[in-house]
Amino acid sequence: MSEIVLEIEDLSYVYMDKNKALSDVSFQIERGTKVFFHGANGAGKTTLFQCLNGLLKVKQGTIKIDGKPAQKEKDRMRAISMVFQNANDQIIAGNVFDEVAFGPLNMGLSEDEVILRVENAMKVMNIQHLSNKPPHFLSYGQKKRVTIASILSMSQKIIILDEPTAGLDAKQTEEIIFILDNLVEHGITLLISTHDSEFSFRCADKIIVLHEGELICEGSPEYVFSQNDVLCKASLNKPVIMEIYESLLENNMVKNYKIMPRDKNGLLKIIKREGIYER
């Protein structure tokens, strides 16, 4: 049975100018999964994430982590951290080791514990060889690894990533996908904000869609992207892979397989299996 690591119930948030950014939002997140959040600008994603990681005080609704109430900001900060869209906005130290050590040092841990945590985090992110390098001279992908390692060193259970593939080329996107898979293998739960339907369709275990502060849809990528009214309401594009597969089905060119292809390679395998190339 899957273990629930994060539970949100009837979460609402109203800013001082009376703008209601979130309205009775409820959902559950399973441990070690990749959950993608979609929604147009102003849908409430940023406010939600700031509530989750303790930057905003929650007055309406309940947040539970590992089944325990986490109403205090410090409790949420201990379990949830965010990786910024631009890695340069998060890096402050002169070398990689010091950057990864910054969080544990500020937690008041012993020197031995800090070193152990830093070494483990760098090993997970495969950046041990960069230990003495100045972060600002690293590649974009390496900087991303450093910022994630700096969060892992604080033993965070849940990591929020804001638009992790924004502005990346195909090679850099593949590297980010590899990093995300590696984190999940180590038991980390990922909450990912994106406008990229292709990215979430390929990688998500679950998708949550927000619109004007309300949760309007949640479920598997196949389910969410089949809800045309939701896509229209949230200004979401249906993934190209899904559109092609549905078109092939409509024209009786492929069988209706139980598992829908979610990337190019999966679609090509079905096309070759059906012999469409030879027709």
Side-chain angles (χ1 to χ4, degrees):
M1 185 175 179
S2 299
E3 184 180 1
I4 302 299
V5 66
L6 179 65
E7 185 175 359
I8 311 300
E9 186 174 350
D10 298 327
L11 179 63
S12 296
Y13 191 87
V14 181
Y15 285 101
M16 294 185 67
D17 63 359
K18 307 302 182 183
N19 173 38
K20 193 168 188 178
L22 295 174
S23 181
D24 299 322
V25 173
S26 301
F27 58 85
Q28 294 181 336
I29 303 294
E30 295 178 0
R31 187 182 306 279
T33 56
K34 291 172 288 189
V35 181
F36 281 67
F37 289 77
H38 278 288
N41 293 333
K45 301 190 300 298
T46 299
T47 301
L48 172 62
F49 288 158
Q50 289 179 345
C51 287
L52 295 183
N53 71 358
L55 291 178
L56 292 177
K57 187 173 184 177
V58 173
K59 297 180 180 180
Q60 301 178 56
T62 303
I63 298 176
K64 292 182 180 180
I65 300 174
D66 284 334
K68 300 177 181 178
Q71 297 305 102
K72 295 181 179 179
E73 292 82 63
K74 64 179 182 179
D75 293 335
R76 302 198 297 277
M77 287 181 178
R78 288 194 189 105
I80 305 174
S81 286
M82 178 180 286
V83 176
F84 298 160
Q85 180 176 331
N86 186 345
N88 291 322
D89 293 338
Q90 199 161 343
I91 293 174
I92 58 174
N95 63 56
V96 169
F97 185 95
D98 289 346
E99 180 66 31
V100 180
F102 181 81
L105 283 171
N106 281 275
M107 294 168 66
L109 302 174
S110 68
E111 182 179 349
D112 289 342
E113 178 66 17
V114 170
I115 292 173
L116 179 63
R117 288 192 179 206
V118 171
E119 289 178 345
N120 287 339
M122 290 197 299
K123 184 177 180 180
V124 171
M125 287 291 97
N126 192 26
I127 56 172
Q128 306 97 309
H129 60 294
L130 302 175
S131 180
N132 296 316
K133 297 280 187 181
H136 292 289
F137 290 101
L138 302 179
S139 70
Y140 181 89
Q142 289 172 329
K143 289 178 182 177
K144 274 289 187 183
R145 289 175 182 265
V146 171
T147 57
I148 294 173
S150 68
I151 289 173
L152 291 179
S153 65
M154 294 187 288
S155 298
Q156 303 297 71
K157 301 174 182 179
I158 302 169
I159 296 178
I160 298 171
L161 297 105
D162 181 26
E163 295 285 352
T165 60
L168 301 189
D169 59 29
K171 183 178 179 180
Q172 291 171 328
T173 297
E174 290 300 320
E175 184 173 0
I176 291 297
I177 291 172
F178 176 82
I179 291 173
L180 300 183
D181 289 340
N182 188 31
L183 289 171
V184 168
E185 287 178 6
H186 284 82
I188 306 297
T189 303
L190 303 177
L191 311 183
I192 302 166
S193 171
T194 185
H195 291 287
D196 188 344
S197 298
E198 311 296 334
F199 176 42
S200 62
F201 183 67
R202 175 180 173 182
C203 300
D205 296 306
K206 179 179 182 178
I207 291 176
I208 291 175
V209 184
L210 298 176
H211 176 68
E212 295 182 352
E214 296 182 356
L215 193 158
I216 61 170
C217 189
E218 65 175 311
S220 68
E222 293 88 348
Y223 171 75
V224 170
F225 285 114
S226 67
Q227 307 303 305
N228 292 326
D229 57 332
V230 171
L231 301 185
C232 181
K233 200 171 186 179
S235 300
L236 273 174
N237 293 320
K238 181 173 288 191
V240 172
I241 296 296
M242 190 172 183
E243 285 189 326
I244 294 173
Y245 181 69
E246 289 178 343
S247 178
L248 292 173
L249 283 175
E250 290 172 5
N251 289 280
N252 297 315
M253 299 183 73
V254 298
K255 299 174 183 176
N256 192 354
Y257 290 91
K258 292 182 179 179
I259 301 177
M260 180 181 293
R262 287 169 58 178
D263 60 19
K264 181 181 70 175
N265 291 333
L267 180 62
L268 288 175
K269 284 181 181 178
I270 290 177
I271 289 174
K272 291 177 181 178
R273 191 181 306 158
E274 297 290 342
I276 294 176
Y277 285 148
E278 285 77 33
R279 295 181 187 178

